[in-house]
Amino acid sequence: MTIEHNSARCCFRNPLGAVKTGEYVMLRLRAENPDIRSVRIKTFFYNESAEYPMFRGANLWEKRITVPETPGVLWYFFIIETTQETLYMGPPMGHTQGEGVIYHQPPASFQLTVYDRDFDTPEWFRGKTMYQIFPDRFKRGNPENLTRGAAYHRAMGRTVVVHESWDEPVLHEPVNGAPFYSPCDFYGGDLRGIIDSIPYFSSLGVGVLYLNPISEAASNHRYDTADYKNVDPILGTPEEFRELCDKAREAGIRVMIDGVYSHTGSDSLYFNKLGNYPSVGAYQSDRSSYYPWYTFHGSRDSYQCWWGFDTLPEVNEQNPVWQNDIITGPYSVFSYWKRLGAMGIRLDVADELPDNVIELMRTAWKADNPDRVLLGEVWEDATTKESYGAKRQYALGRGLDTVMNYPFKNAVLAFLQGHSTADELANFLTSQRLNYPLPMYHALMNLLSSHDEPRAYTVLASGLTGDGMTREEEASLVLEEEQLKSGRARFKLAGALQFTIPGTPSIYYGDEQGMQGLKDPFNRAPFVKKDPALAGFFSELSLLRKKSAALSRGGVSFAALAPDTIGVLRYIADGRDAFGAPAQDEYVLTIINRSDRAFSAVLDLSVFSDTLPPHDRFTLNNLYLESADMLSGDGTVCLRSGRHIIAAVGALNYGVIRLR
């Protein structure tokens, strides 16, 4: 019995991918068996379900469904009645997209994301190269900042360990007989050092600088905010931040700050548990103007904390006083950073901010300039994320512009370590393309490393992540030359994929120089220029992306070319890019070969056409190639016929090819 539905193919679902509220989608099922009496589609949307009869054509059953006017995720599967039994078709177990599977009981469902029809993301941000900086560890620009800042914090009784040398290892053990490790060591990286490095960022093709927290705080990571409206004195001054924004903008770069709004530090202007600030904090009195920010349980020493850490009192984001102080008021934290020139906010632990608060943030942040960006820290697929008993709405067009794409990192590193196949990676990448609203998909922060994750180079070289290791074991890790060579080659493959798929490729400071390190704090070592050739590789990819309209704003299709080899086709067809804007036709094929053997094959471009929209599929299938040029990588290509090419890519290498 032949029964078929594939949510990634336009002949079964049109349009492909997420759809806007109130639009329609055509769903089809191929069923050639005459014993089938009827087919129905069962849908689920929040707490409602419905069934729709499908209409039979020649071997195809079809039904056009109008999606709801409310953003959400519509789920569906098929009920197939035969003369003998009732069958069901849903996605493969553990998946929400792809080739349907027959079941004998109600299955999981295919995902159809419905997003707000008015949703868009700032065009300037989509496709730009991002550079993430952990400020204390990037570059010393003015040594006096560290001297003054350390004295300021010590005067409050805070422990401050100053590294005299940039080359000293990071602190990873308790100091001064303390019972626990504390992130209290400082190298003196500052805003002046970042300002002085703008030419370096330009050489990498950077368009967005994302800074981990820079507001005053007791720790080196500064996620324990002490004063939202003051730059930490170790980093410099608010005036220097304004200067950074101005000079970066002159170089075509915009600055994104890290917004830590689900909690503050207990040692802060607002809570003031230690009495270090002249203000009356919430801990000190219920008459404090900040008292409504927090939730106390009967006494001042019993309060709601972030994940149980009493140094991080949690705020009540629904409180109107907090909302006015942070988001909406004329003297709010949002207004303060707007005036200084920030063009983006990355929301720390976005899952812990209520959806209505994120929507309020979106409105306030973009009120006078819709080009400002709101990016969220989300570790899973943001379209189906559930937290605190609620289905999250922030990826459906009324909240976040985009999110950190940790699932991309996980999938790429798994593939390059041999834990998954090219087919599995292609299916994952296709699923992301289908699940996310188009504007968000082209703005996803596609990272390989971050301040919360081991550096990708080290993972690919060692196969380790730091799990199950002590800090001493991580600190003493030394990789052999062969491991480093293999890790470097695989890291370059990860970068090639990162820069040739849709989204915003993000470089974690020093990754481009081959920096290593497993978990925090070893992934936060001081920046060093140790591998200029690797930095040149990332510069080349960034420049290539900037020059190619297909790579920066074209459509995409993914295909497994062999178990160890994946292909990515970016394209602009009939003079329009992925958003329908005018652009010159261009086809760019990237081939990633993780094998230790060279890849060589005759490629039929039709392997990419199945997952394209009907018009683009037609254009590709009728494309007659006249030439092909290598743009980057260790590969060769020559024309064989109008729709076939011979491609050869070296072992552990890649090729970026323009098809003409």
Side-chain angles (χ1 to χ4, degrees):
M1 179 182 294
T2 302
I3 303 177
E4 188 178 6
H5 174 81
N6 189 325
S7 63
R9 295 176 62 186
C10 60
C11 56
F12 294 110
R13 191 162 109 180
N14 187 26
L16 287 171
V19 296
K20 298 178 181 178
T21 50
E23 290 190 343
Y24 68 84
V25 60
M26 179 67 78
L27 297 176
R28 295 187 176 95
L29 185 92
R30 177 177 290 121
E32 301 177 357
N33 193 304
D35 292 338
I36 295 178
R37 305 165 83 178
S38 68
V39 179
R40 304 188 307 278
I41 302 172
K42 184 155 189 175
T43 65
F44 304 87
F45 192 74
Y46 294 109
N47 296 322
E48 299 180 358
S49 63
E51 288 191 13
Y52 301 93
M54 300 187 75
F55 301 99
R56 188 170 198 165
N59 298 329
L60 278 177
W61 296 76
E62 62 181 30
K63 173 64 178 178
R64 192 174 85 162
I65 295 177
T66 302
V67 303
E69 291 287 348
T70 302
V73 175
L74 183 76
W75 301 94
Y76 69 92
F77 63 77
F78 299 93
I79 304 171
I80 304 150
E81 300 284 357
T82 74
T83 55
Q84 290 88 27
E85 59 184 334
T86 299
L87 301 174
Y88 303 87
M89 174 165 280
M93 293 294 292
H95 297 267
T96 64
Q97 303 286 3
E99 187 74 50
V101 176
I102 290 291
Y103 298 89
H104 291 275
Q105 57 188 8
S109 301
F110 294 100
Q111 177 179 343
L112 178 59
T113 304
V114 180
Y115 67 98
D116 191 289
R117 64 165 62 91
D118 297 323
F119 176 53
D120 202 2
T121 53
E123 185 177 358
W124 72 265
F125 182 83
R126 296 194 297 251
K128 289 293 189 295
T129 299
M130 176 185 286
Y131 195 84
Q132 178 187 349
I133 295 175
F134 193 84
D136 182 64
R137 307 294 161 84
F138 186 68
K139 184 178 181 180
R140 291 174 178 168
N142 180 1
E144 293 183 5
N145 285 331
L146 179 58
T147 302
R148 283 195 301 263
Y152 173 85
H153 287 294
R154 283 172 176 152
M156 294 188 178
R158 295 167 178 163
T159 300
V160 178
V161 175
V162 172
H163 291 278
E164 299 299 330
S165 169
W166 195 254
D167 300 324
E168 292 177 14
V170 294
L171 180 70
H172 65 275
E173 297 175 319
V175 296
N176 300 329
F180 305 108
Y181 161 80
S182 174
C184 60
D185 59 323
F186 295 85
Y187 286 84
D190 58 12
L191 293 178
R192 179 57 56 191
I194 297 173
I195 293 170
D196 293 344
S197 301
I198 289 175
Y200 176 71
F201 305 139
S202 294
S203 74
L204 290 173
V206 170
V208 186
L209 276 181
Y210 157 40
L211 309 183
N212 286 116
I214 60 173
S215 292
E216 181 182 325
S219 68
N220 58 36
H221 57 65
R222 301 186 174 91
Y223 284 97
D224 50 344
T225 311
D227 186 349
Y228 285 115
K229 294 183 183 180
N230 189 36
V231 170
D232 193 288
I234 290 178
L235 295 177
T237 65
E239 291 71 28
E240 284 178 303
F241 179 78
R242 188 194 303 274
E243 181 184 349
L244 169 62
C245 292
D246 290 343
K247 290 187 174 179
R249 193 180 186 95
E250 291 173 4
I253 301 169
R254 305 190 193 191
V255 179
M256 173 178 286
I257 61 172
D258 210 327
V260 188
Y261 304 125
S262 72
H263 54 272
T264 67
S266 59
D267 185 6
S268 67
L269 177 70
Y270 317 103
F271 202 76
N272 209 10
K273 186 173 184 177
L274 302 182
N276 279 327
Y277 291 88
S279 63
V280 177
Y283 180 82
Q284 297 162 310
S285 172
D286 59 7
R287 296 184 179 181
S288 167
S289 61
Y290 303 114
Y291 191 83
W293 284 26
Y294 304 95
T295 301
F296 290 86
H297 304 297
S299 75
R300 69 177 189 170
D301 287 312
S302 179
Y303 48 87
Q304 194 76 21
C305 303
W306 185 79
W307 288 64
F309 294 102
D310 63 2
T311 57
L312 300 175
E314 198 170 282
V315 303
N316 177 7
E317 299 94 346
Q318 302 289 12
N319 184 273
V321 174
W322 179 88
Q323 292 180 357
N324 179 78
D325 290 346
I326 300 295
I327 307 171
T328 58
Y331 303 103
S332 67
V333 172
F334 272 36
S335 296
Y336 176 81
W337 290 102
K338 280 184 187 181
R339 289 192 293 271
L340 290 182
M343 282 297 292
I345 295 178
R346 177 262 192 189
L347 293 179
D348 183 55
V349 292
D351 295 337
E352 301 183 20
L353 301 172
D355 281 308
N356 68 307
V357 172
I358 291 177
E359 291 170 15
L360 186 67
M361 288 176 167
R362 179 182 183 86
T363 300
W365 185 238
K366 294 173 176 282
D368 57 337
N369 187 349
D371 270 350
R372 291 197 178 93
V373 174
L374 196 63
L375 181 151
E377 178 194 13
V378 180
W379 287 67
E380 301 84 10
D381 184 318
T383 63
T384 55
K385 173 71 178 181
E386 295 188 28
S387 61
Y388 299 93
K391 297 180 186 295
R392 302 311 302 263
Q393 305 291 303
Y394 44 50
L396 303 177
R398 297 177 181 174
L400 301 172
D401 283 311
T402 186
V403 295
M404 301 177 75
N405 197 357
Y406 280 104
F408 166 78
K409 173 197 73 73
N410 296 337
V412 171
L413 298 190
F415 170 69
L416 293 176
Q417 293 179 89
H419 301 326
S420 64
T421 65
D423 189 60
E424 290 171 312
L425 179 58
N427 288 338
F428 164 80
L429 294 170
T430 299
S431 291
Q432 285 210 320
R433 193 196 82 186
L434 297 174
N435 288 349
Y436 279 98
L438 181 68
M440 179 173 283
Y441 177 63
H442 279 259
L444 288 175
M445 180 182 166
N446 293 331
L447 64 146
L448 297 173
S449 309
S450 80
H451 61 292
D452 285 326
E453 288 285 271
R455 289 190 180 267
Y457 190 140
T458 305
V459 174
L460 293 171
S462 67
L464 302 172
T465 62
D467 289 344
M469 299 174 66
T470 65
R471 278 204 168 108
E472 288 71 23
E473 289 170 335
E474 291 185 69
S476 61
L477 178 66
V478 177
L479 301 180
E480 298 177 357
E481 191 62 34
E482 279 302 309
Q483 288 178 300
L484 292 172
K485 181 179 178 182
S486 173
R488 187 179 188 275
R490 295 181 191 279
F491 183 58
K492 289 179 66 176
L493 295 186
L497 185 59
Q498 179 189 32
F499 274 79
T500 54
I501 70 167
T504 299
S506 177
I507 302 172
Y508 182 50
Y509 82 100
D511 267 9
E512 81 283 6
Q513 294 285 350
M515 284 182 61
Q516 298 173 40
L518 290 173
K519 291 184 173 183
D520 165 27
F522 306 104
N523 56 3
R524 304 175 182 185
F527 174 79
V528 290
K529 293 184 177 180
K530 58 188 297 185
D531 193 339
L534 187 60
F537 162 79
F538 280 96
S539 296
E540 177 188 8
L541 286 177
S542 189
L543 179 62
L544 179 62
R545 186 182 180 94
K546 188 178 295 187
K547 287 182 175 179
S548 168
L551 289 178
S552 59
R553 52 195 175 97
V556 67
S557 180
F558 307 97
L561 307 179
D564 293 322
T565 309
I566 188 170
V568 180
L569 180 69
R570 300 296 304 275
Y571 66 91
I572 291 177
D574 281 0
R576 55 188 177 84
D577 66 13
F579 294 87
Q584 186 173 352
D585 286 8
E586 184 183 22
Y587 296 85
V588 177
L589 173 62
T590 301
I591 300 174
I592 308 288
N593 178 28
R594 75 171 182 197
S595 174
D596 56 6
R597 296 183 180 182
F599 168 81
S600 181
V602 178
L603 301 181
D604 184 341
L605 295 183
S606 65
V607 301
F608 293 99
S609 68
D610 279 350
T611 61
L612 297 183
H615 178 276
D616 296 337
R617 179 181 183 184
F618 174 83
T619 303
L620 181 62
N621 286 345
N622 288 276
L623 178 67
Y624 189 88
L625 300 175
E626 295 180 354
S627 64
D629 307 322
M630 281 298 303
L631 300 180
S632 182
D634 179 17
T636 59
V637 62
C638 61
L639 192 67
R640 179 174 180 182
S641 67
R643 289 179 53 238
H644 295 78
I645 58 174
I646 297 176
V649 176
L652 278 175
N653 225 304
Y654 76 102
V656 182
I657 306 158
R658 177 181 288 123
L659 310 176
R660 298 180 183 275

